[in-house]
Amino acid sequence: MSLKQTVYFMALVGAIAGLTCWAVQSWIGDFVRIPQTQFTVLVTALMGALIAGMTVGFADRWTADRVVAKWVAVGVVLGALAGNAGGLLYLPILSGIMQSTTSGRVALLGRPMTWLIAGGLIGLVTGLRWFGVNRLRSVHAMLGGLIGGGLGGLLFTFLGSAEFFQALAFMLSGMGITLGVALAPVLLRSGVLQFISSADPRAQNKYGSPQQEWVVQEGDRFVIGNQGYERNMTIYARAVDIYIPDAMMVPWHAVLFASRKRFYIQQHGDNIGPQGQPLSPLQVNRVNVTSTRELRDGDEIVLGQTLLRFASRKQGAAALQMEGMLA
């Protein structure tokens, strides 16, 4: 899946999660009598569970071999806890701002503040799914959640009497969180790893059309390999970050990382035999990689039977600028 497609579908996932949450809370409100404070906590917990669970499930569907139920379940639980915490914060906001003040404008800020805090917390725990790759992903998701939740809260407060605007407010909150997960890394990307082709039909069918791209940004560390989900023993992460179903690759084949605006690839320790020789090929521009190799814009990488290409955003722009100066 290309970067544009990833951002589009992640935004769609957030919107669907928000819309589903609105539909469920509307149904609950019609048939069950719950005090407003408790109802707010229930709604924010539901929002967190839906957004976190759907975001993790969708991301794993397109970047791993399949959706892993335990990771989705952990996302649902963490999202529900974060949403519940955000809803509980509504109580002091209700008593300390909305009910105690005589200013109507100040009182109106109470609901957007609740949505903003809940959105930020839900985004934070959702981003923990990518904590092992880059800790900034949690920050991006939190910022997206703050923005989406704040916009949704404002819309709900000032235009919330109509069901259409209520639904739109929930959708905006969900989109803000999922876009924080997907869009921020794309905008801040320093490089892109592109799938070109593979002699293994499984890898070719999975990533060949549409052509898969993986974002690489400062601080990222990706383990590349063919380890399936069933061998992963972690609770909320993958031991392999870039999964390629190539029979000629080993479970943990190579490591791609970015440091100080430079990019490197190296053999994973599990791809090195007792005599120091690689168990499966790792080449850059047809040269065997035995230790650590710095990557440049346009470098072609061979892992097993799979060909990838690395594109550096900065180096590519510099090359185009140089060509323009020489022309």
Side-chain angles (χ1 to χ4, degrees):
M1 181 177 291
S2 68
L3 301 184
K4 290 182 180 179
Q5 288 174 314
T6 300
V7 171
Y8 169 77
F9 282 109
M10 286 293 278
L12 185 61
V13 166
I16 293 174
L19 185 61
T20 303
C21 182
W22 170 79
V24 173
Q25 66 90 27
S26 296
W27 180 84
I28 294 174
D30 291 338
F31 293 97
V32 182
R33 293 183 178 181
I34 302 177
Q36 182 61 41
T37 54
Q38 297 180 17
F39 187 69
T40 299
V41 175
L42 175 64
V43 169
T44 54
L46 178 64
M47 171 74 85
L50 287 170
I51 290 176
M54 292 179 68
T55 300
V56 171
F58 172 81
D60 287 344
R61 170 64 181 81
W62 290 106
T63 60
D65 45 351
R66 66 181 68 184
V67 177
V68 183
K70 68 176 181 180
W71 294 338
V72 175
V74 172
V76 168
V77 172
L78 291 179
L81 291 175
N84 184 73
L88 290 175
L89 290 174
Y90 174 72
L91 302 179
I93 292 175
L94 176 66
S95 59
I97 297 179
M98 301 176 67
Q99 295 179 345
S100 63
T101 183
T102 57
S103 173
R105 293 182 178 180
V106 175
L108 285 175
L109 293 177
R111 190 182 297 275
M113 285 180 61
T114 303
W115 280 60
L116 183 144
I117 294 171
L121 290 175
I122 295 169
L124 178 64
V125 299
T126 303
L128 291 176
R129 176 64 182 79
W130 294 269
F131 188 81
V133 173
N134 193 329
R135 297 180 181 181
L136 287 176
R137 299 291 174 95
S138 297
V139 177
H140 298 156
M142 181 185 69
L143 292 176
L146 289 171
I147 295 172
L151 290 175
L154 288 172
L155 188 64
F156 192 90
T157 299
F158 294 101
L159 300 174
S161 58
E163 291 188 349
F164 170 78
F165 292 112
Q166 292 182 13
L168 185 59
F170 276 90
M171 292 172 67
L172 280 176
S173 298
M175 288 175 63
I177 294 171
T178 54
L179 284 177
V181 172
L183 183 59
V186 171
L187 294 176
L188 298 173
R189 70 187 184 278
S190 302
V192 177
L193 188 64
Q194 303 168 331
F195 178 89
I196 303 301
S197 63
S198 178
D200 191 308
R202 296 180 304 159
Q204 185 64 37
N205 292 336
K206 184 174 181 61
Y207 296 133
S209 180
Q211 192 176 55
Q212 178 70 30
E213 296 177 317
W214 294 273
V215 173
V216 185
Q217 68 179 97
E218 181 67 23
D220 279 351
R221 184 183 185 276
F222 295 106
V223 176
I224 308 172
N226 72 355
Q227 177 189 250
Y229 83 101
E230 69 279 355
R231 296 181 58 189
N232 199 312
M233 302 302 292
T234 57
I235 296 177
Y236 198 39
R238 295 189 301 270
V240 168
D241 304 297
I242 298 179
Y243 166 75
I244 301 176
D246 183 336
M248 292 296 293
M249 292 175 59
V250 297
W252 296 277
H253 196 106
V255 178
L256 172 68
F257 61 97
S259 178
R260 299 181 181 180
K261 301 182 180 179
R262 301 172 75 175
F263 311 93
Y264 304 90
I265 193 167
Q266 64 184 21
Q267 295 276 7
H268 192 283
D270 283 48
N271 192 27
I272 300 176
Q275 305 300 323
Q277 78 283 5
L279 301 177
S280 184
L282 171 60
Q283 296 180 336
V284 175
N285 297 332
R286 300 183 180 181
V287 177
N288 290 326
V289 176
T290 56
S291 56
T292 301
R293 167 70 180 262
E294 184 174 356
L295 294 175
R296 301 289 184 180
D297 182 61
D299 280 352
E300 293 189 342
I301 306 168
V302 174
L303 303 98
Q305 306 171 87
T306 299
L307 175 63
L308 308 175
R309 180 178 294 125
F310 177 76
S312 170
R313 191 176 187 182
K314 182 178 180 180
Q315 293 172 359
L320 290 175
Q321 184 179 8
M322 183 63 68
E323 290 179 3
M325 293 174 62
L326 297 175

